[in-house]
Amino acid sequence: MAEKNLHPDQLYIDGLVQNNSTVIQTIYKKFVPKVKNYIRMNSGDDDEAQDVIQEVLITIYNQAKTKGLQLSCPFDAYFFLLCKRRWLNELKKTSNKEVTLQDENVSIDESVQEMTFQTEVFDEKQSLFDEMFQKLGEKCQEVLKLSFITKTMEEVAAKLNVTYAYVRKKKSLCTGQLTEMIQQSNRYQSLKS
């Protein structure tokens, strides 16, 4: 997103990334009551609402941290729509609950919908990556985790007490294996389209 389209509410995204307790408290004070009320009115309770809110905040944090999320719409609309969709997905999964939707006539413009869609796709990709990563062997996971957090492959080799050449080769093989597993997944095919 272009810098000129940056919404003033970006401060909430930045506050989450910086773990700024004042900003986080403001989010809970200003935006969470509306979400809790919506979920309570739609077959949920406070605990379920809190779970949805936590999951959405974690998703926003992860997207901001890894992809540099830049808000182009009001945080309130973006956050509410993400929570609402997450709750509706929960209701679909546990369809034994009677679903009574009390929809507030929230005006949602295209930028909110687009940002929400991008965040949901990001979350789905992250979920797929995590699932496939867990299917890798222990050594592959170890090499890749260290390469994610360590600056150089020399440092990774030193931490694992192996040669630089070995760790480069292992990382390449593991990355290839992970990529292949992801690309062969049905979820990946649906994300592509």
Side-chain angles (χ1 to χ4, degrees), residues 34 37-38 41-42 76-77 80-81 84 101-109 113:
K34 179 178 174 181
N37 187 42
Y38 176 81
M41 290 175 62
N42 291 288
D76 182 29
F80 181 76
L81 189 56
K84 177 181 172 183
L101 289 181
Q102 303 290 327
D103 203 354
E104 299 169 7
N105 290 326
V106 181
S107 170
I108 299 172
D109 67 21
Q113 291 204 12

Side-chain angles (χ1 to χ4, degrees), residues 9-24:
D9 282 357
Q10 179 69 29
L11 70 100
Y12 297 113
I13 304 292
D14 296 341
L16 278 173
V17 170
Q18 296 159 2
N19 199 19
N20 180 321
S21 60
T22 305
V23 171
I24 294 169

Side-chain angles (χ1 to χ4, degrees), residues 107-147:
S107 170
I108 299 172
D109 67 21
E110 283 182 34
S111 68
V112 175
Q113 291 204 12
E114 177 60 27
M115 287 207 67
T116 303
F117 175 74
Q118 288 174 5
T119 299
E120 288 173 333
V121 169
F122 170 83
D123 192 37
E124 191 60 35
K125 286 179 179 176
Q126 189 67 46
S127 170
L128 175 60
F129 175 87
D130 293 345
E131 179 187 325
M132 294 303 153
F133 188 83
Q134 294 306 315
K135 292 181 179 182
L136 285 175
E138 209 173 292
K139 278 290 182 207
C140 273
Q141 286 185 25
E142 184 178 27
V143 167
L144 291 177
K145 278 181 189 173
L146 280 173
S147 70

